[in-house]
Amino acid sequence: MLQVIGKVVILEGFVSTKVSQMAEATETRFDPDALRERYRIERDKRLRADGNEQYIEMTGDYADYLEDPYIDEPIDRDPITKEVDVVLVGGGFGGMQAAARLRDAGVDDFLLIEKGGSFGGTWYWNRYPGAQCDIEAYCYLPLLEETGYVPREKYAYAKEILEHSDRIATHFNLYDTALFQTEVTELCWDATTNRWIVHTNQGDAIKARFVSMANGPLHRPKLPGIKGIENFQGHSFHTSRWDYEYTGGGPLGGLDKLGDKRVGIIGTGATSIQCVPFLGEASEQLYVFQRTPSTVDIRGNAPTDPEWAESLPEGWQKARMENFNALISGIPQSEDLVNDGWTDLIGKMMNQFQNMKEGDNMSLEEMIEMANFEKMEEIRGRVDQLVADPDVAEKLKPYYKMFCKRPTFNDDFLPTFNRSNVELVDTDGQGVDEVTAKGVVVGGVEYEIDCLIYGTGFEVGTSYTRRSGYEVFGKDNRALSEHWQEGTRTLHGMGSHGFPNLFIMNTSQGGFTANFPHLLDETAVHQAHIIGHALSAGHTTVEVTPDAEDDWVKTIIGFEGGPLGGLGGPDCTPGYYNNEGQPNPTAAQSAPYGGGSIKFFQLLEQWREDGNFEGLEFGSS
Ligand code: NDP
């Protein structure tokens, strides 16, 4: 076994720390049948009939949870009615990358509309203590070479990411083109002028030749529909609107106002994993209410070596992003440049593959399953290593396939449960029973608290227009939600028939990669190419043809059960990866391109090189 690992290491360039991690894990013994049965039991007890309906939308009585705690004062300005070539909806990485690529294509007359008080998108909102990107910063932070920046650490904290947003905005001169604290309320196509009319909550009616929607996939926070949630009399907020006025401190910790507070946090997803250590350190008492444990792998952050940063050749970031993307897509590379928890699982699969070649008679599915068991045994073993109380450790162990839920990486979360002021309140998969005026009830016990924090995530399975917060009315006043009622209908995930001059930055029917800005950049380049061409050639409209849309829908559906079928499949414990375990009739059609992001990006590049804009119809009236 070790020899095989050795071969993988030598052949594929894995570094020595990985050798020891893999060697340890491969010696672990487990019973596959027992694990299969345990996974089934854990999934079944979490399945619930109400699926996505279990969550509460932040409207009406709950709208206050959406208020922006980061602005000094609300904006007060006159409505705008001007005309521009392009409106970009969203000032997160998507909108900023779209703007940067428009500038590259010679298109400068655009306006960015952003509901937050500045740029940053998800990183503007998610400033909770410990917020950090799980994807290596050298791959994740966009436009590093263009802006001449190398991140300070392998994994960047939110503060550095927000600073980088500012760097991009400054470099590409985006502040003058931005409308902040402005939310789009409706997009309407005006066929008489061939313009989109962009309505906002500030009373604007902006005319645009083109619109690109970079709304972001995890955009609308949600609350759990727990009985009595409206009765809580203490302080409460969602993690994406952290109330530092109440907790004290900032994104790097020091929550000095919590010293005399009993705090509860609901949820143990990627967000809570990061903020719980800071809450544990600062609160008088912390209760962590858990429904399903996350996988918590090694973080292993490290400062950037300045010599290495100096030595990076031109084109290094794209090469690194592509290397990472290939490895997490299961495509062997001569070198693993990133070498982290994401690429580790693939390393294990390569290891299994070597075994198979040497005589083991395993099918590809069995091989993948065994690699997955092995990785999860390692994750569960880590809980035993880091949590002193064996009962607490057992409750923190995830029993499902890796990638049923978003993997997390943290070195401080598990040891936090060794603190005497921190209690894990496990709900055995059932969730919190009730919220009362004074606290949270689980298993008949009321946990009295002063502050309740919702680490309960964001809407994913609801309709696109509900999540974006506005409807889009195209030709003949047809609503996008109606056009997509049976599932997404696009060409390349970016445009729909009946919605001319409209571009969508989205994973549905587009590419999918864990490194989301990589997808955003490929999309931004592609749409800038089309918009740039339309403007320079004097076309007034560009629209996806019905045939091209039909063909792309068939392509997407044709991949059902394909390479991406394993992510959050129906046998997984419920979560947003599998529509909370509910059958979803539109899932196959709304899935990302099943051939994987690498093929998808190649397909886009080839389409641009072909130069005939296949599937699009241009108008010049
Ligand atoms: P998630 O949706 O991942 O987690 C929500 C949590 O709330 C889950 O643990 C869920 O349990 C729990 N929950 C929901 N309802 C109840 C209930 N009634 N009682 C008890 N618990 C409940 O949200 P997050 O904000 O943690 O993460 C969302 C996404 O944001 C991540 O998946 C990731 O994509 C992204 N993110 C990315 C980071 C990065 O590094 N790039 C960092 C942080 C977040 P259950 O699992 O049982 O549903």
Side-chain angles (χ1 to χ4, degrees):
M1 183 65 78
L2 275 171
Q3 200 192 353
V4 173
I5 296 168
K7 254 196 256 170
V8 173
V9 171
I10 294 157
L11 289 173
E12 305 299 337
F14 278 60
V15 298
S16 57
T17 48
K18 179 148 301 177
V19 182
S20 58
Q21 284 166 21
M22 288 168 75
E24 259 172 46
T26 49
E27 279 157 17
T28 312
R29 296 278 170 264
F30 56 84
D31 174 351
D33 287 335
L35 281 180
R36 272 183 214 111
E37 180 61 3
R38 177 76 192 267
Y39 286 10
R40 187 192 61 73
I41 290 168
E42 294 295 335
R43 180 204 57 178
D44 286 357
K45 73 180 170 200
R46 288 174 171 82
L47 284 173
R48 34 193 292 170
D50 52 1
N52 274 313
E53 298 303 314
Q54 69 182 282
Y55 294 105
I56 300 177
E57 205 180 347
M58 288 184 180
T59 51
D61 289 348
Y62 303 101
D64 288 357
Y65 281 99
L66 279 180
E67 271 175 23
D68 185 346
Y70 314 122
I71 49 170
D72 292 332
E73 55 187 71
I75 198 168
D76 181 17
R77 64 164 173 80
D78 291 331
I80 295 170
T81 55
K82 73 172 181 176
E83 176 169 328
V84 291
D85 281 342
V86 190
V87 158
L88 300 164
V89 185
F93 283 162
M96 297 172 91
Q97 286 172 265
R101 296 310 179 197
L102 281 176
R103 289 235 193 267
D104 288 350
V107 180
D108 291 308
D109 183 23
F110 55 78
L111 201 57
L112 273 142
I113 301 183
E114 164 56 47
K115 72 176 172 180
S118 190
F119 289 110
T122 200
W123 299 104
Y124 174 86
W125 297 109
N126 288 285
R127 304 181 189 197
Y128 57 83
Q132 186 186 48
C133 184
D134 277 340
I135 304 288
E136 193 204 55
Y138 316 124
C139 291
Y140 180 84
L141 290 188
L143 303 162
L144 286 177
E145 287 192 71
E146 289 83 344
T147 55
Y149 184 66
V150 179
R152 293 192 284 270
E153 290 172 287
K154 189 170 170 73
Y155 299 97
Y157 282 95
K159 188 168 178 290
E160 185 180 10
I161 303 176
L162 209 51
E163 283 165 12
H164 188 60
S165 298
D166 173 62
R167 184 175 296 108
I168 296 172
T170 306
H171 182 87
F172 289 97
N173 198 12
L174 302 184
Y175 279 105
D176 292 345
T177 70
L179 292 180
F180 295 125
Q181 294 189 49
T182 304
E183 227 175 313
V184 171
T185 51
E186 205 168 76
L187 294 181
C188 300
W189 176 248
D190 179 355
T192 55
T193 58
N194 286 331
R195 299 286 185 273
W196 283 100
I197 312 297
V198 183
H199 298 279
T200 77
N201 64 346
Q202 299 289 341
D204 309 317
I206 298 156
K207 297 176 203 68
R209 286 170 187 266
F210 299 92
V211 170
S212 173
M213 304 194 292
N215 305 315
L218 297 163
H219 164 82
R220 277 183 88 80
K222 63 183 178 356
L223 292 171
I226 299 166
K227 182 179 153 201
I229 190 174
E230 68 283 4
N231 296 331
F232 185 61
Q233 296 298 309
H235 194 70
S236 65
F237 55 87
H238 187 273
T239 48
S240 67
R241 304 287 189 276
W242 196 273
D243 188 349
Y244 283 109
E245 224 171 279
Y246 180 86
T247 64
L252 297 179
L255 311 177
D256 55 3
K257 293 187 184 170
L258 292 182
D260 58 353
K261 299 283 188 294
R262 298 158 303 171
V263 177
I265 182 162
I266 299 184
T268 48
T271 297
S272 296
I273 299 299
Q274 293 181 335
C275 64
V276 157
F278 293 88
L279 289 171
E281 200 177 83
S283 311
E284 179 191 332
Q285 172 70 39
L286 175 67
Y287 297 108
V288 180
F289 298 99
Q290 172 182 270
R291 188 165 69 178
T292 308
S294 280
T295 61
V296 189
D297 208 346
I298 297 164
R299 167 72 308 159
N301 203 3
T304 301
D305 174 357
E307 270 181 44
W308 171 80
E310 270 304 304
S311 73
L312 290 166
E314 199 183 324
W316 70 269
Q317 193 187 19
K318 192 160 169 44
R320 198 172 182 96
M321 282 159 67
E322 286 174 353
N323 178 265
F324 176 74
N325 200 27
L327 282 165
I328 60 169
S329 305
I331 299 170
Q333 300 292 290
S334 59
E335 207 181 349
D336 178 357
L337 292 172
V338 173
N339 186 38
D340 71 356
W342 290 97
T343 56
D344 183 46
L345 182 64
I346 308 303
K348 289 217 159 43
M349 287 182 181
M350 284 162 56
N351 180 14
Q352 290 286 348
F353 191 58
Q354 291 287 328
N355 286 346
M356 203 173 85
K357 274 193 194 158
E358 291 184 3
D360 284 0
N361 210 6
M362 275 198 279
S363 69
L364 182 68
E365 286 74 25
E366 283 168 335
M367 186 184 87
I368 291 172
E369 189 189 34
M370 290 305 285
N372 208 308
F373 281 147
E374 205 173 272
K375 178 70 198 174
M376 288 300 288
E377 283 291 282
E378 183 189 310
I379 295 275
R380 289 186 283 267
R382 187 167 186 253
V383 183
D384 283 328
Q385 281 166 19
L386 297 178
V387 178
D389 182 330
D391 291 336
V392 177
E394 199 49 41
K395 287 174 182 152
L396 286 164
K397 289 181 188 170
Y399 282 93
Y400 46 79
K401 279 190 303 184
M402 184 85 177
F403 296 123
C404 274
K405 286 188 172 277
R406 171 65 147 75
T408 79
F409 306 88
N410 195 288
D411 297 334
D412 304 316
F413 174 78
L414 292 168
T416 297
F417 293 94
N418 298 330
R419 299 182 68 102
S420 57
N421 65 325
V422 177
E423 184 174 340
L424 176 72
V425 184
D426 181 53
T427 65
D428 195 25
Q430 302 311 296
V432 163
D433 294 334
E434 189 177 349
V435 176
T436 63
K438 289 192 288 186
V440 173
V441 180
V442 174
V445 178
E446 184 180 40
Y447 296 85
E448 288 193 13
I449 50 177
D450 303 297
C451 176
L452 180 55
I453 302 172
Y454 293 102
T456 46
F458 303 85
E459 288 193 24
V460 174
T462 51
S463 79
Y464 179 81
T465 46
R466 168 169 154 172
R467 278 179 286 128
S468 66
Y470 58 90
E471 186 55 272
V472 182
F473 294 98
K475 274 168 136 179
D476 303 322
N477 216 24
R478 182 166 164 81
L480 189 63
S481 57
E482 200 184 320
H483 189 60
W484 286 6
Q485 204 161 28
E486 311 290 321
T488 308
R489 297 192 60 78
T490 68
L491 171 63
H492 300 153
M494 289 182 223
S496 287
H497 177 66
F499 298 82
N501 298 10
L502 182 74
F503 294 84
I504 305 151
M505 298 182 87
N506 197 13
T507 53
S508 184
Q509 296 199 348
F512 176 83
T513 163
N515 186 14
F516 199 61
H518 188 174
L519 163 70
L520 293 173
D521 194 50
E522 300 283 347
T523 312
V525 166
H526 197 73
Q527 68 181 27
H529 174 77
I530 299 169
I531 293 172
H533 169 76
L535 285 172
S536 63
H539 297 306
T540 47
T541 56
V542 50
E543 183 180 353
V544 172
T545 66
D547 286 351
E549 188 180 273
D550 279 349
D551 286 350
W552 191 249
V553 167
K554 280 185 201 137
T555 301
I556 298 295
I557 291 174
F559 279 112
E560 194 174 3
L564 288 172
L567 188 73
D571 59 342
C572 274
T573 188
Y576 78 78
Y577 275 11
N578 70 348
N579 198 40
E580 300 297 334
Q582 299 279 318
N584 181 354
T586 67
Q589 187 173 319
S590 300
Y593 176 77
S597 57
I598 293 175
K599 275 199 186 147
F600 179 71
F601 299 157
Q602 285 166 351
L603 182 149
L604 292 184
E605 197 177 347
Q606 188 60 53
W607 184 96
R608 293 195 296 274
E609 270 172 23
D610 289 349
N612 53 9
F613 295 89
E614 200 183 330
L616 298 182
E617 195 168 47
F618 290 92
S620 304
S621 58

